[in-house]
Amino acid sequence: MSEPSASGARYNSMPDKVFDVCNIVFMVCLMIVTLYPFVNMLAVSFNDANDSIRGGIYLWPRLWTLENYDYIFSEASIYQATLISVLRTVLGTVISVFCTAMLAYTLTRPDFVLRKFLSMAFIFTMYFSGGLIPGYLLIKGLGLTNSFWVYILPAVIGVFNLIVIRSFIEGLPEGLLESARIDGAGEFATFLQIVLPLTIPALATVSLFVAVGQWNSWFDVFLYNSSNENLSTLQYELQKILQTTNTSATSAADQFASAQGNVTFVTPTSIRATMTIIASIPIILVYPFLQKYFVKGLTVGGVKG
């Protein structure tokens, strides 16, 4: 019978076993801490609002109901707002990622004389901004208020995303780009046919960042399009529903009537939980498709070489 190798003996030693057990316990605890808030929100959203006031809802609804979701989806504006949110997320992500990648490629070209100046100018905007009022005046002066494009154009270039994609492109073999130029490809053709396919991990990572930001955004709707209901987004409508629920009167007579089944009774807690689930599900569904690119794009794009 062969003797176990030295490396195998070290791997099966007591300190290694203790480390494995501690690592597994730590990861399980981390998973529970991460998942519990979402599962708790899911349970509260499907639980009767009157019963949720008592507390004690943890992982499973005590009294199942769909009244919380019926209350939110009974608002006619929700469906139009959802369409606008989906449209701004898709268009905003595609346009932003493409323009950011094109600018990142430009800033990696050593023959572009303004690349250092522009790089410093973009980085400067990460730490200093004009402020809320100058920003509003700029958007108004450009004629973007009460317009769908106010969701897209101001967020076309994200400086952090620019740095991630630029670092990724700088790590590509220069020989691939040189061979494309030898074959007669111009800069734009090189960017489309060589750079974009090779930077898919970084693009997928940035796409997730941009999509989450566009989907969750509501403050720009409040600033620029609050008077135009046709351009309202899902997040803004949910926020208005929550405000209405918070400020509505919940007298003892109303609660008694709801207990008798005459009216639907909801609470800010139940509506907040339902809103969280509705707003989170689309991103949760998209994330698995980008997960295989996410780690590689973030680590390789964050470190040159």
Side-chain angles (χ1 to χ4, degrees):
M1 192 175 213
S2 60
E3 294 290 334
S5 63
S7 60
R10 288 195 300 269
Y11 180 77
N12 294 321
S13 63
M14 183 58 65
D16 289 323
K17 293 181 179 179
V18 172
F19 174 79
D20 290 340
V21 172
C22 293
N23 191 32
I24 292 173
V25 171
F26 173 76
M27 296 304 295
V28 169
C29 293
L30 182 63
M31 181 185 67
I32 293 175
V33 170
T34 304
L35 291 179
Y36 173 75
F38 182 80
V39 176
N40 177 255
M41 286 288 181
L42 187 64
V44 173
S45 70
F46 281 106
N47 196 76
D48 182 75
N50 284 312
D51 183 70
S52 298
I53 298 176
R54 297 164 47 199
I57 306 297
Y58 300 109
L59 300 177
W60 198 258
R62 192 161 45 223
L63 293 177
W64 282 85
T65 183
L66 294 176
E67 288 183 353
N68 299 321
Y69 290 92
D70 289 338
Y71 180 81
I72 289 181
F73 287 111
S74 63
E75 297 288 335
S77 58
I78 284 292
Y79 302 98
Q80 171 71 13
T82 301
L83 178 62
I84 296 297
S85 288
V86 171
L87 190 61
R88 74 170 288 181
T89 300
V90 173
L91 285 180
T93 301
V94 171
I95 295 175
S96 177
V97 171
F98 181 80
C99 292
T100 303
M102 191 159 49
L103 178 60
Y105 172 70
T106 303
L107 295 179
T108 60
R109 298 300 87 209
D111 53 344
F112 181 54
V113 294
L114 295 178
R115 67 189 186 97
K116 291 185 178 180
F117 171 77
L118 290 179
S119 297
M120 294 300 299
F122 279 111
I123 293 175
F124 180 83
T125 63
M126 293 182 65
Y127 301 98
F128 303 96
S129 66
L132 182 61
I133 295 178
Y136 176 82
L137 295 177
L138 174 62
I139 296 298
K140 185 177 181 180
L142 293 174
L144 293 177
T145 54
N146 291 320
S147 168
F148 174 79
W149 292 104
V150 75
Y151 303 144
I152 308 297
L153 297 182
V156 165
I157 301 297
V159 180
F160 176 78
N161 300 333
L162 176 67
I163 294 174
V164 170
I165 299 178
R166 186 188 66 180
S167 300
F168 196 98
I169 294 176
E170 288 176 343
L172 297 178
E174 187 65 27
L176 292 175
L177 306 182
E178 292 296 336
S179 62
R181 296 189 185 96
I182 292 174
D183 291 337
E187 292 293 345
F188 193 68
T190 302
F191 170 72
L192 288 179
Q193 300 175 12
I194 305 296
V195 176
L196 277 186
L198 293 177
T199 55
I200 286 180
L203 298 182
T205 302
V206 170
S207 297
L208 183 62
F209 293 159
V210 176
V212 171
Q214 288 281 9
W215 179 258
N216 289 332
S217 181
W218 68 270
F219 193 60
D220 52 357
V221 188
F222 172 74
L223 286 178
Y224 310 121
N225 287 335
S226 57
S227 61
N228 192 341
E229 294 183 357
N230 293 327
L231 293 176
S232 183
T233 62
L234 176 63
Q235 300 292 345
Y236 185 61
E237 291 299 319
L238 294 178
Q239 188 261 351
K240 288 198 301 184
I241 292 174
L242 181 59
Q243 279 189 341
T244 303
T245 307
N246 283 327
T247 57
S248 62
T250 54
S251 62
D254 292 333
Q255 296 186 26
F256 178 78
S258 66
Q260 299 300 316
N262 296 329
V263 297
T264 300
F265 176 68
V266 294
T267 63
T269 301
S270 61
I271 292 301
R272 190 181 300 114
T274 308
M275 287 169 48
T276 302
I277 300 302
I278 293 175
S280 301
I281 284 181
I283 298 300
I284 293 175
L285 295 177
V286 170
Y287 181 76
F289 297 99
L290 302 177
Q291 184 180 11
K292 63 180 180 179
Y293 302 109
F294 188 78
V295 176
K296 181 179 178 182
L298 191 61
T299 55
V300 178
V303 181
K304 180 181 177 180

